[in-house]
């Protein structure tokens, strides 16, 4: 009996030690509930902010599964009386969530076609066998492709190409070197840079476009976004390549035998299959639909059209698609976007924006210029701690209420959320390269801080000199 | 008896695997070699698995498989796997995903009973705890960690006995230092000590440390019992009485040329959680392999 009791107590203690942030979040939310509502804040807004704080603690700590966090947000919204069950349900699903769901499924369908070997051959044919050209090619092609088909898809396809080059250049599976860091970070940072280029580069872009339209600020089309963001991506590609080259200068300046072996290995696979051709045609159709049809039918519906074709042409079956799609992320973003909408509707976002501006004005005479720095730096830091889409979903409603030009602030926030260079958990791309066991967490800081600062500076220059011309 | 041997990489885990297999053989135990890889956060889990599938389509191994292959080769070298398996080589094509965080390579039965090779991904303490619960292990063997918190968590939350292989040199002739007192855990420690002494073929020093000379008599019975018990198995031993705080004296006495065997504390989990326990404190200070028997 005493053994059983001790075991039960031990289990409880273990649970508490692993779930301490859940317990802390619970006590913080209960304490905040009983704190008097600050002046200027409505009771609904007060309760919405409690949910935001709880959600942030749980997302950063990952003490419970993501879908559980999503459900907790929805439950709290209804139980705390922020909205009715039907109201929460309708804000839970919108075009941005369709887009996130559709693009995650598209990613699975595209990766499933096994186009990575073709990709390897195309890249190597262009770059040749000099290491610096290969690294530059990795950054450039990763950025180019991820701007259209999303960063995770590209990272999953590019990773074997990098590993093949490393293995064929004589590196053992766990052998770390500057060459492995150079090639892997070229993929991760290339994908991050590319994800700002178009709305389909990342779910967060669709979230921001959704907020622009939901809060009646403006309508940003796929093409408008490209005009705003693509130049920055193109400028950053050579800068990032140079930073990576200087940080991880490899001993081998030419990878001739690795390139030769890679070509031989890829050549074994023969010509493109008809399914691979069809899958490329479908994606090109989706891309043009994003440009020409999305203003009228939405980005999410276009993504779902793509999934519909992949399924209908049996390029992937439903079982494979569901098994590989991260449904937890879809549900979480649905609920975080719903929370973002509640922040706007209850006035919580406006109150928070005013509070931040007021706090800044205590230390600086004219806080108006600091709105931009606040949006970008907070977005950049948050994205490295939680996830870029969650950052935009929570920060978006606040920055759009800060005054100034909401388009510049919104675009800057969304773009800064791609500066996920500093930590392993910053984005799935960072985690994908880390999971190879070939790089350490310190490597992220080594190259990341330089690119982080340069990206912020470049974004500042673009938002001052280029964006005003567009509007 | 089931033994779980946790390894991380061939550079850091060679002594753990060697010591672990010796212990498993001594107890004629089924043994499982477990590699715990990095935790993948939930936001990225599916994407990382998708990337791994692509890596495997190029005939490259996913991370962690090379560590298991190295462990397999060690087992082959030591003839712990049957000859037909050795001839066929490492069967990486039998790697099967049991759950999202656990995969297993299926091996034929070896000479030393069952041997399993497993990869898990996640936080080390959680994964070890889950594995111990599913496999009903008696002893968990792992390498020495610099983190004191991990040692605490291991002893506090893992239900099996814990053997931490800290600074273990296979070439060096160690002795066993069996620390006993009048607690219940000491008797279990004495029984396990027999297996360890047989595994490494070494003699035993039985130590009892009291804060007060007057308490020495209380511990005399258990030391004599231990000595008699070991002699029954033809294990050479001698008794040492020391005065002082066991937390200071035992690690000092153990130095780096002993394998310390100690029973777990009889303190309840809550008291241990807030005040720690003598074995945990000793484990944190010790610079040699240590077995905490539960």
């Amino acid at each position: 009996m005493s053994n059983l009791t001790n075991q039960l107590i031990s289990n409880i203690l273990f649970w508490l030690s692993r779930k301490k942030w859940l317990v802390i979040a619970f006590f913080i939310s209960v304490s905040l509930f009983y704190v008097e509502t600050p002046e200027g804040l409505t009771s609904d807004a007060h309760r919405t902010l409690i949910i935001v704080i709880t959600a942030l603690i749980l997302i950063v700590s990952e003490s419970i599964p993501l879908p559980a966090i999503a459900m907790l947000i929805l439950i709290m919204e209804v139980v705390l009386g922020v909205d009715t069950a039907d109201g929460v349900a309708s804000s839970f699903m919108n075009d941005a969530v369709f887009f996130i769901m559709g693009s995650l499924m598209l990613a699975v369908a595209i990766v499933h076609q096994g186009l990575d070997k073709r990709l390897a051959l195309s890249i190597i044919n262009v770059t040749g066998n000099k290491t610096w050209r290969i690294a530059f090619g990795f950054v450039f092609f990763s950025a180019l492709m991820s701007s259209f088909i999303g960063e995770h898809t590209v990272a999953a396809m590019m990773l074997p190409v990098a590993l093949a080059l490393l293995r064929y250049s004589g590196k053992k599976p766990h052998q770390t070197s500057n060459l492995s860091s150079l090639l892997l970070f070229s993929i991760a940072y290339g994908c991050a840079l590319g994800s700002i280029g178009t709305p389909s580069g990342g779910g967060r872009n669709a979230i921001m476009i959704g907020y622009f339209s939901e809060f009646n600020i403006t309508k940003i089309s796929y093409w408008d976004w490209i005009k705003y963001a693509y130049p920055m991506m193109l400028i950053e590609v050579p800068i990032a390549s140079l930073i990576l080259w200087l940080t991880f200068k490899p001993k081998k300046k030419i990878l001739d035998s690795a390139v030769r072996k890679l070509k031989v290995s890829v050549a074994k696979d023969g010509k493109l299959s008809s399914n691979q051709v069809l899958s490329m045609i479908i994606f090109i159709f989706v891309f043009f639909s994003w440009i020409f049809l999305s203003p009228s039918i939405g980005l999410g519906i276009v993504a779902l059209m793509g999934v519909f074709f992949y399924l209908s042409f049996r390029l992937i079956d439903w079982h494979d698609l569901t098994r590989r799609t991260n449904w937890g992320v879809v549900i979480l973003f649905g609920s975080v976007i719903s929370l973002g909408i509640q922040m706007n509707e209850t006035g919580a976002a406006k109150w928070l924006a005013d509070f931040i501006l007021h706090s800044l004005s205590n230390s600086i005479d004219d806080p108006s210029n600091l709105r931009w720095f606040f949006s970008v730096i907070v977005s950049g830091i948050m994205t490295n701690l939680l996830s870029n889409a969650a950052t935009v979903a929570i920060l978006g409603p606040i920055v759009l209420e800060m005054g100034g030009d909401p388009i510049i602030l919104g675009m800057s926030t969304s773009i800064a959320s791609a500066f996920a260079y500093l930590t392993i958990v910053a984005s799935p791309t960072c985690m994908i390269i880390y999971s190879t066991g070939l790089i350490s967490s310190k490597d992220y800081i080594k190259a990341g801080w330089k690119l982080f600062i340069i990206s912020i500076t470049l974004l500042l220059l673009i938002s001052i000199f280029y964006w005003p011309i567009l509007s | 008896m089931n033994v779980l041997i946790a390894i991380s990489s061939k550079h850091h885990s060679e002594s753990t695997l060697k010591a672990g297999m010796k212990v498993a053989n001594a107890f004629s135990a089924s043994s499982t070699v477990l590699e715990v890889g990095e935790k993948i956060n939930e936001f990225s889990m599916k994407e990382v698995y998708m990337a791994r599938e692509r890596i495997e389509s190029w005939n490259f191994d996913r991370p962690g498989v090379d560590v298991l292959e190295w462990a397999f080769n060690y087992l082959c070298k030591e003839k712990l796997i049957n000859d037909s398996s050795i001839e066929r080589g490492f069967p990486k094509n039998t790697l099967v995903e049991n759950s999202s965080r656990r995969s297993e390579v299926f091996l034929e039965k070896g000479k030393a009973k069952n041997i399993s090779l497993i990869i898990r991904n996640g936080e080390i303490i959680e994964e070890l705890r889950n594995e111990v619960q599913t496999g009903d292990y008696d002893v968990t063997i792992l390498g020495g960690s610099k983190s004191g918190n991990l040692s605490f968590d291991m002893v506090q939350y893992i239900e099996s006995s814990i053997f931490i292989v800290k600074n273990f040199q296979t070439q060096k002739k160690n002795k066993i230092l069996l620390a006993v007192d009048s607690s219940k855990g000491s008797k279990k420690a004495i029984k396990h000590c027999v297996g360890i002494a047989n595994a490494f073929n070494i003699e035993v020093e039985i130590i009892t440390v009291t804060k007060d000379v007057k308490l020495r008599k209380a511990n005399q019975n258990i030391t004599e019992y231990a000595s008699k018990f070991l002699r029954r198995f033809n294990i050479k031993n001698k008794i040492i009485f020391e005065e002082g705080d066991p937390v200071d004296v035992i690690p000092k006495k153990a130095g780096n040329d002993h394998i310390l065997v100690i029973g777990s504390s009889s303190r309840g989990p809550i008291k241990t959680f807030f005040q720690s326990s003598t074995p945990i404190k000793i484990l944190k200070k010790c610079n040699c392999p240590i077995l905490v028997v539960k």
Side-chain angles (χ1 to χ4, degrees):
Chain A
M1 186 66 193
S2 119
N3 245 356
L4 261 179
T5 320
N6 278 347
Q7 210 172 332
L8 183 69
I9 293 169
S10 179
N11 284 343
I12 294 169
L13 288 173
F14 182 72
W15 186 88
L16 285 174
S17 73
R18 300 297 113 181
K19 308 286 175 196
K20 53 180 177 282
W21 284 106
L22 176 65
V23 179
I24 290 169
F26 173 76
F27 282 111
I28 288 179
S29 58
V30 170
S31 320
L32 288 175
F33 185 78
Y34 287 107
V35 165
E36 202 183 326
T37 306
E39 210 186 307
L41 193 67
T42 64
S43 154
D44 280 353
H46 177 194
R47 280 173 271 163
T48 305
L49 288 180
I50 293 173
I51 306 172
V52 171
I53 291 166
T54 311
L56 278 177
I57 294 173
L58 295 178
I59 293 172
V60 174
S61 64
E62 272 200 50
S63 50
I64 54 172
L66 296 184
I69 302 173
M71 281 160 207
L72 183 68
I73 293 171
L74 299 177
I75 294 165
M76 284 178 85
E77 279 179 347
V78 178
V79 171
L80 293 179
V82 176
D83 204 346
T84 61
D86 285 340
V88 169
S90 63
S91 64
F92 173 75
M93 193 48 90
N94 58 29
D95 191 58
V97 184
F98 275 163
F99 176 77
I100 290 169
M101 185 170 78
S103 57
L104 285 176
M105 289 199 275
L106 271 181
V108 173
I110 293 168
V111 173
H112 187 71
Q113 307 310 318
L115 284 161
D116 34 7
K117 294 195 176 172
R118 311 275 143 214
L119 187 67
L121 195 60
S122 317
I123 293 173
I124 292 303
N125 281 339
V126 174
T127 61
N129 58 11
K130 285 192 177 131
T131 313
W132 76 266
R133 286 180 62 124
I134 293 173
F136 178 77
F138 272 30
V139 179
F140 177 75
F141 283 104
S142 300
L144 186 75
M145 289 188 298
S146 74
S147 66
F148 299 114
I149 58 175
E151 50 184 322
H152 321 152
T153 324
V154 178
M157 292 199 295
M158 289 291 288
L159 186 69
V161 185
L163 292 183
L165 279 174
L166 291 171
R167 202 65 64 84
Y168 296 148
S169 67
K171 301 271 178 244
K172 286 181 185 136
H174 252 86
Q175 196 180 351
T176 55
S177 65
N178 271 2
L179 182 64
S180 52
S181 304
L182 176 70
L183 295 184
L184 294 173
F185 276 106
S186 296
I187 296 172
Y189 289 175
C191 289
L193 299 180
S195 68
I196 66 172
T198 74
S200 56
R204 60 191 180 280
N205 302 343
I207 293 173
M208 189 50 83
I209 289 175
Y211 282 159
F212 280 145
S213 139
E214 186 92 30
F215 306 157
N216 296 320
I217 293 167
T218 184
K219 293 254 182 226
I220 295 265
S221 70
Y222 196 89
W223 184 245
D224 290 335
W225 188 285
I226 290 178
K227 283 192 286 183
Y228 272 93
Y230 225 83
M232 169 148 178
M233 184 203 106
L234 292 175
I235 297 169
E236 276 213 284
V237 166
I239 297 174
S241 305
L242 186 66
I243 289 174
L244 286 173
W245 180 260
L246 295 175
T247 312
F248 303 110
K249 220 172 210 166
K251 278 184 194 158
K252 282 191 174 180
K253 300 287 188 282
I254 294 178
L255 298 177
D256 49 351
S257 91
V259 166
R260 222 173 21 249
K261 284 178 191 164
L262 181 70
K263 281 182 177 173
V264 172
S265 150
V266 173
K268 281 180 199 160
D269 272 29
K271 286 180 182 169
L272 272 176
S273 70
S274 56
N275 277 359
Q276 288 174 327
V277 175
L278 186 59
S279 80
M280 285 195 280
I281 293 171
I282 293 174
F283 188 76
I284 291 167
F285 168 76
V286 170
F287 170 64
F288 281 109
S289 302
W290 268 328
I291 294 180
F292 297 111
L293 295 180
S294 68
S296 51
I297 64 171
L299 289 164
I301 293 297
V302 172
L304 293 181
M305 268 165 60
V307 178
F308 165 78
F309 286 122
Y310 276 102
L311 281 169
S312 303
F313 286 109
R314 298 208 172 274
L315 294 172
I316 187 164
D317 66 47
W318 179 244
H319 174 73
D320 284 332
L321 198 62
T322 46
R323 194 167 64 86
R324 294 183 177 93
T325 303
N326 202 338
W327 296 107
V329 167
V330 177
I331 300 172
L332 180 73
F333 290 154
S335 61
V336 174
I337 292 168
S338 154
L339 191 56
I341 292 169
Q342 301 298 351
M343 281 171 76
N344 180 265
E345 283 178 0
T346 59
K350 175 89 178 90
W351 182 85
L352 216 54
D354 290 344
F355 177 77
I356 291 160
L357 284 178
H358 182 70
S359 307
L360 290 174
S361 66
N362 284 341
S363 46
I364 292 120
D365 293 337
D366 180 17
S368 54
N369 295 327
L370 286 173
R371 287 184 193 117
W372 186 90
F373 280 101
F374 172 82
S375 318
V376 168
I377 290 170
V378 173
S379 175
I381 292 170
M382 272 175 75
T383 199
N384 280 288
L385 296 177
L386 42 142
S387 109
N388 38 33
T391 298
V392 172
I394 288 178
L395 206 57
I398 301 168
V399 300
L400 295 178
E401 290 284 0
M402 280 186 133
D405 186 338
I407 300 176
I408 288 185
L409 287 182
M411 290 293 293
S412 302
T413 305
S414 191
I415 288 176
S417 74
F419 302 162
Y421 313 132
L422 302 170
T423 61
I424 302 154
V425 295
S427 73
T429 320
C430 288
M431 187 52 95
I432 284 173
I433 62 162
Y434 182 70
S435 72
T436 59
L438 292 171
I439 41 178
S440 76
S441 51
K442 284 179 196 155
D443 291 338
Y444 287 81
I445 300 282
K446 237 183 192 174
W449 74 269
K450 299 170 199 163
L451 195 56
F452 190 78
I453 290 172
I454 287 176
S455 300
I456 288 178
T457 314
L458 192 63
L459 182 56
L460 177 67
L461 294 174
I462 280 187
S463 61
I464 291 174
F465 297 110
Y466 174 58
W467 288 349
I469 303 170
L470 295 176
S471 51
Chain B
M1 189 169 183
N2 294 327
V3 172
L4 179 67
I5 305 164
I7 57 172
S8 57
S9 71
K10 50 188 165 189
H11 305 296
H12 301 111
S13 304
E14 197 167 348
S15 54
T16 311
L17 185 60
K18 283 183 180 173
M21 287 314 297
K22 271 193 172 187
V23 173
N25 275 343
F27 287 104
S28 304
S30 299
S31 40
T32 298
V33 179
L34 170 74
E35 201 261 340
V36 181
E38 294 290 344
K39 184 184 176 188
I40 299 161
N41 75 344
E42 262 193 89
F43 278 109
S44 318
M45 198 171 272
K46 296 273 182 178
E47 284 77 5
V48 170
Y49 289 149
M50 207 153 69
R52 279 186 182 165
E53 281 179 10
R54 295 316 310 151
I55 292 172
E56 282 166 355
S57 79
W58 284 63
N59 285 329
F60 296 140
D61 298 332
R62 52 179 271 193
V65 174
D66 59 313
V67 181
L68 287 193
E69 189 168 5
W70 161 78
F72 176 85
N73 290 336
Y74 170 80
L75 298 174
C76 289
K77 204 173 79 188
E78 298 294 315
K79 305 270 182 208
L80 295 167
I81 290 179
N82 64 23
D83 295 340
S84 61
S85 289
I86 293 173
E87 266 173 37
R88 277 199 290 275
F90 181 59
K92 66 175 82 166
N93 52 343
T94 64
L95 183 77
V96 174
E97 216 162 87
N98 308 113
S99 71
S100 63
R101 296 197 320 217
R102 185 182 189 274
S103 307
E104 185 169 356
V105 174
F106 284 97
L107 298 177
E108 282 182 30
K109 277 187 179 178
K111 284 178 182 169
K113 280 197 167 182
N114 273 339
I115 294 181
S116 313
L117 298 172
I118 290 169
I119 305 178
R120 272 181 175 271
N121 278 94
E123 207 191 323
I124 186 155
I125 188 76
E126 260 184 66
E127 297 309 314
L128 284 176
R129 192 171 191 268
N130 288 340
E131 192 59 41
V132 168
Q133 279 177 347
T134 47
D136 198 19
Y137 292 96
D138 302 287
V139 185
T140 301
I141 299 170
L142 73 160
S145 162
K146 284 174 190 163
S147 151
N149 285 341
L150 181 65
S151 313
F152 172 87
D153 285 353
M154 294 293 298
V155 177
Q156 171 83 353
Y157 301 122
I158 290 188
E159 284 160 21
S160 70
S161 299
I162 310 290
F163 185 24
I164 296 183
V165 187
K166 212 188 263 186
N167 294 329
F168 179 70
Q169 289 157 359
T170 39
Q171 306 90 344
K172 208 169 170 181
K173 193 80 179 166
N174 294 313
K175 283 180 185 171
I176 289 175
L177 187 66
L178 172 64
V180 292
D181 61 9
S182 52
S183 68
K184 273 185 197 169
S186 288
K187 281 203 171 170
K188 279 191 185 171
I190 294 163
K191 283 178 193 158
H192 272 72
C193 181
V194 173
I196 302 286
N198 284 333
F200 296 95
N201 194 21
I202 48 179
E203 54 192 78
V204 177
E205 290 176 355
I206 305 161
I207 186 169
T208 182
V209 183
T210 49
K211 284 184 179 165
D212 193 335
V213 188
K214 289 172 197 164
L215 296 171
R216 185 185 283 188
K217 241 189 174 173
N219 286 348
Q220 208 155 350
N221 287 343
I222 187 80
T223 48
E224 278 168 12
Y225 168 81
S227 178
K228 220 185 265 177
F229 194 86
L230 292 170
R231 272 204 304 274
R232 211 188 294 161
F233 291 91
N234 295 322
I235 297 166
K236 274 190 194 170
N237 64 79
K238 70 170 184 182
I239 297 171
I240 304 166
F241 287 104
E242 289 281 345
E243 201 178 314
D245 186 350
V247 176
D248 296 324
V249 176
I250 293 175
K252 216 180 202 176
K253 194 77 194 165
N256 57 8
D257 56 354
H258 282 85
I259 296 172
L260 178 63
V261 179
I262 191 168
S264 68
S265 168
S266 49
R267 273 186 180 175
I270 294 182
K271 220 170 178 186
T272 311
F273 185 81
F274 289 107
Q275 299 177 349
S276 190
S277 69
T278 306
I280 291 172
K281 286 177 190 165
I282 291 174
L283 194 155
K284 282 182 182 173
K285 277 194 167 182
C286 239
N287 209 21
C288 65
I290 173 167
L291 171 67
V292 181
V293 181
K294 286 190 178 178

